[in-house]
Amino acid sequence: METSIATAIAHPNIALIKYWGDREPRLRLPANGSISMNLAGLTTRTRVSFDDALSSDELILNGAPAHGEALERAGLVLERLRQMTGVRRYARVESVNNFPMGAGVASSASAFAALALAASKAAGLELDESELSRLARLGSGSACRSVPGGYVEWLAGTSDEDSYAYSIAPPEHWALADCIAIVSRAHKQVVSRQGHVLAATSPIQAARLADTPRRLSWCRSAILERDFEALAEIAELDSNLMHAVMLTSTPRLLYWQPATLALMQAVVEWRGAGLPVFYTIDAGPNVHVICPAETAEQVASRLKEIPGVQEVLTALTGGAARLE
């Protein structure tokens, strides 16, 4: 019996220009391009073992066996690798996060980025960054952005071959921090995959998509020029647009909780008073509060004082997925 093993570590990311809506759900080709920042210190560590003794793929998440959709999504990545190698061996996947899963902190992004890297290595393949990004995308769209490091853009592309992510700037380009105000650790009732399907039912989605190239250019320039004021303006606008689509979908999606709104209002007030800070919110109630790294401790302290905030996780700009 033969066993091939590899382990990889990847970071979640926070989207500054959001991905919401699929053009082709099976391949997770996005309706629009997006830009994100990887989050250092928050990690998924994934160990993949291809073993002749296995009769099916196995998935263990944070020490517990996983079945159903989670296993099916991992299977999409593993099956693509089996097609690429021509070898039909099943895999045992063991994955551990050091941050909340399923609560809008992009746990699937880091999970599938780590899976793509570890599984391809264990399968004996040496894939380049764009190939790894495309492979991770099959499990979770935003996972393609957790493969490269630093500030990352995901090209919407026209097909599987040209829809991948690349690094706009390395982590050291701009020392920003993400102070994540956790208001709930509960799993979302409607996962992002289902939300992407609903996006097209919103009358706002078409206008959002039409304006995306402008927002991408604005965000890209703000990052390259390290223009915090511009990044704050575009990131909050884009976050609000995505949640407006959610709120006007059929059925509507409302991820926010009272503490979510309190945090949004507080952050806008703080910035108006001179503190460099802005918010962005993925598909969940938790609020990502971005600030210069040197003010992160002050921002985190303020966030903890807001009623409803259970915990604040602080992450600097993170690097690429890597083998351990």
Side-chain angles (χ1 to χ4, degrees):
M1 296 293 182
E2 184 182 352
T3 304
S4 303
I5 303 173
T7 302
I9 292 174
H11 303 295
N13 64 74
I14 178 60
L16 303 169
I17 300 297
K18 307 292 191 185
Y19 149 53
W20 196 249
D22 285 321
R23 191 173 69 254
E24 207 292 338
R26 185 178 60 86
L27 293 173
R28 300 187 193 278
L29 299 180
N32 63 275
S34 55
I35 293 176
S36 63
M37 166 182 142
N38 276 6
L39 303 178
L42 307 182
T43 61
T44 298
R45 179 182 184 274
T46 299
R47 180 177 185 266
V48 177
S49 313
F50 280 99
D51 192 336
D52 288 335
L54 294 174
S55 58
S56 63
D57 292 322
E58 298 178 358
L59 176 61
I60 301 170
L61 293 180
N62 294 318
H67 305 283
E69 184 190 355
L71 180 58
E72 290 173 10
R73 290 171 70 185
L76 294 173
V77 175
L78 297 169
E79 188 59 31
R80 173 62 65 88
L81 287 170
R82 284 189 280 264
Q83 293 170 0
M84 294 169 71
T85 61
V87 178
R88 291 211 61 82
R89 282 195 293 163
Y90 292 104
R92 178 179 296 106
V93 178
E94 301 167 84
S95 191
V96 177
N97 291 332
N98 71 350
F99 61 96
M101 292 178 58
V105 193
S107 57
S108 63
S110 54
F112 284 100
L115 174 60
L117 180 54
S120 61
K121 183 68 174 179
L125 296 175
E126 296 290 340
L127 303 183
D128 64 27
E129 188 175 83
S130 64
E131 290 171 324
L132 283 169
S133 179
R134 289 168 51 206
L135 181 61
R137 193 196 69 229
L138 296 178
S140 169
S142 58
C144 74
R145 296 193 308 249
S146 281
V147 171
Y151 299 89
V152 174
E153 179 168 0
W154 175 12
L155 302 173
T158 58
S159 67
D160 175 53
E161 286 72 23
D162 61 0
S163 182
Y164 60 87
Y166 72 99
S167 179
I168 297 173
E172 59 272 18
H173 168 73
W174 198 3
L176 296 183
D178 181 4
C179 299
I180 308 167
I182 304 295
V183 302
S184 174
R185 289 181 173 272
H187 278 261
K188 297 178 288 191
Q189 289 186 337
V190 179
V191 298
S192 296
R193 180 185 58 81
Q194 296 168 322
H196 290 304
V197 175
L198 297 177
T201 67
S202 166
I204 294 174
Q205 176 74 339
R208 174 183 168 272
L209 295 179
D211 184 60
T212 300
R214 180 186 71 93
R215 299 196 309 281
L216 285 168
S217 177
W218 185 353
C219 182
R220 195 183 304 116
S221 296
I223 290 170
L224 292 176
E225 297 167 12
R226 293 190 287 269
D227 185 337
F228 190 88
E229 184 177 338
L231 186 61
E233 188 172 350
I234 187 56
E236 287 188 352
L237 170 62
D238 193 84
S239 178
N240 292 346
L241 276 171
M242 183 182 75
H243 284 272
V245 169
M246 295 174 179
L247 285 166
T248 53
S249 296
T250 304
R252 64 178 178 267
L253 299 177
L254 176 57
Y255 288 113
W256 295 347
Q257 296 184 6
T260 308
L261 284 166
L263 284 159
M264 294 164 68
Q265 291 173 326
V267 167
V268 171
E269 289 173 3
W270 297 345
R271 190 166 71 252
L275 183 66
V277 67
F278 67 86
Y279 69 79
T280 185
I281 307 166
D282 278 348
N286 301 319
V287 181
H288 295 254
V289 180
I290 314 295
C291 63
E294 63 267 22
T295 62
E297 186 174 345
Q298 176 189 358
V299 170
S301 179
R302 288 194 183 194
L303 292 172
K304 291 174 184 175
E305 295 175 359
I306 293 178
V309 174
Q310 301 175 7
E311 180 185 6
V312 176
L313 306 175
T314 299
L316 302 179
T317 310
R322 64 189 187 277
L323 291 168
E324 188 177 60

